[in-house]
């Protein structure tokens, strides 16, 4: 018996179109609520163990993938349990807050609604957004600072597909950059049609995070203006000036 015969809408039954449209329709620029506790933010947890810290580039790749996977998760669309908080977050000013965790605190963070991604030896978890005044205690106890990791980013992507290029002129901590590449991964979906975005999600949102040199950055800025790439422009709440272009996402051909 077909879905139509039993009164089931086959489109509504598939949550992916909702998650795709949410990202491609987002325009940003909304005002914050009067009460700072009502600001909505996505908490991001970076696993940074003392004994064997991961590579800087791998942490950023894991963070970006975790955000993309959360935004495109079936639970974030349709009647899924994450749909309402994701709608509210994307209808407000999108914010992300990166924290570090290790040991038992990292294990506890896995119990909070979200998605964990791995890149090489790094792990990061993106959590379903909510009010900053009501962050789960297992997350609020995690430090926001102390996320700095030594090391350079690659200067060229290791694979074809989505690449998130970091502005060579800006100095940002790993925590700040994690939020920026996370936003870049969200905006990168606008470069994909729905079928390609679904394939990208189903394959784990593979991507690269690279450091642009000045000529590459100039070319990327031109591509952003022409619609061939998409730039992240920061609101300037922390570390850098408002309106700074922090990351540019593009699709690299094989």
């Amino acid at each position: 018996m077909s879905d139509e015969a039993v009164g089931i809408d086959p489109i509504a039954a598939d949550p992916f179109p909702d998650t795709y449209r949410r990202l491609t329709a987002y325009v940003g620029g909304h005002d914050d609520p009067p009460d700072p506790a009502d600001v909505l933010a996505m908490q991001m947890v970076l696993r940074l163990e003392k004994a064997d810290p991961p590579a800087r580039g791998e942490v950023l790749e894991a963070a970006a993938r975790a955000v993309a996977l959360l935004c495109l998760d079936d639970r974030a669309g349709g009647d899924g349990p994450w749909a309402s908080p994701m709608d509210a977050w994307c209808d407000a000013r999108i914010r992300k807050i990166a924290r570090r965790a290790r040991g038992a605190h990292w294990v506890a963070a896995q119990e909070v609604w979200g998605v964990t991604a791995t890149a090489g030896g790094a792990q990061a978890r993106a959590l379903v957004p909510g009010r900053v005044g009501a962050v789960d205690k297992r997350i609020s106890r995690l430090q926001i600072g102390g996320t700095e990791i030594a090391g350079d980013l690659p200067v060229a992507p290791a694979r074809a597909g989505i690449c998130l290029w970091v502005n060579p002129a800006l100095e940002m901590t790993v925590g700040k950059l994690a939020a920026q590449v996370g936003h870049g991964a969200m905006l990168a979906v606008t470069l994909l049609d729905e079928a390609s975005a679904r394939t990208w999600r189903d394959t784990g949102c593979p991507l690269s995070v690279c450091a642009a040199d000045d000529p590459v950055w100039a070319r990327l800025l031109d591509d952003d203006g022409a619609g061939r790439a998409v730039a992240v422009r920061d609101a300037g709440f922390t570390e850098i000036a408002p309106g700074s272009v922090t990351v540019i996402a593009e699709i690299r051909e094989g």
Side-chain angles (χ1 to χ4, degrees):
M1 183 179 294
S2 69
D3 288 340
E4 290 82 357
V6 295
I8 298 174
D9 182 347
I11 296 178
D14 178 6
F16 185 81
D18 290 343
T19 63
Y20 176 77
R21 283 193 295 267
R22 182 188 291 124
L23 295 184
T24 56
Y26 172 74
V27 294
H30 298 280
D31 293 330
D32 284 337
D35 186 348
D38 290 333
V39 169
L40 300 177
M42 174 186 285
Q43 306 291 326
M44 304 172 65
V45 184
L46 313 179
R47 185 178 187 181
L48 303 178
E49 301 288 350
K50 281 185 178 180
D52 188 20
R56 182 184 180 94
E58 290 178 348
V59 170
L60 296 176
E61 182 179 334
R65 291 183 57 234
V67 171
L69 286 166
L70 171 58
C71 289
L72 296 174
D73 194 285
D74 282 346
R75 290 166 288 185
D79 294 328
W82 301 351
S84 180
M86 291 297 292
D87 283 342
W89 181 57
C90 285
D91 284 342
R93 185 193 294 271
I94 284 184
R95 287 187 177 176
K96 302 180 185 72
I97 299 173
R99 302 172 182 267
R100 64 177 173 87
R102 58 176 64 102
H105 286 176
W106 170 255
V107 174
Q110 307 309 299
E111 301 170 356
V112 182
W113 271 3
V115 175
T116 295
T118 299
Q123 289 181 292
R125 185 168 181 82
L127 304 180
V128 176
R131 295 175 57 248
V132 298
V135 177
D136 189 291
K137 291 182 179 179
R138 290 167 290 189
I139 305 303
S140 63
R141 67 186 178 186
L142 302 177
Q143 291 188 14
I144 295 176
T147 59
E148 195 50 37
I149 306 171
D152 297 325
L153 297 179
V155 297
R159 61 174 71 89
I162 289 175
C163 183
L164 307 177
W165 293 94
V166 175
N167 188 337
L170 297 178
E171 294 289 336
M172 292 178 279
T173 64
V174 167
K176 178 70 173 181
L177 262 177
Q180 299 304 301
V181 297
H183 203 154
M186 294 172 61
L187 293 178
V189 176
T190 65
L191 301 172
L192 302 169
D193 60 31
E194 185 175 323
S196 298
R198 186 191 295 270
T199 298
W200 187 56
R201 191 277 307 270
D202 291 346
T203 54
C205 295
L207 54 82
S208 301
V209 177
C210 296
D213 59 19
D214 290 338
V216 168
W217 192 251
R219 189 264 299 169
L220 289 165
L221 289 172
D222 288 342
D223 287 348
D224 172 56
R228 296 185 296 269
V230 59
V232 177
R233 290 175 170 82
D234 190 62
F237 294 116
T238 60
E239 298 191 23
I240 57 177
S244 299
V245 177
T246 56
V247 171
I248 298 180
E250 71 164 350
I251 298 177
R252 300 277 291 185
E253 299 298 330

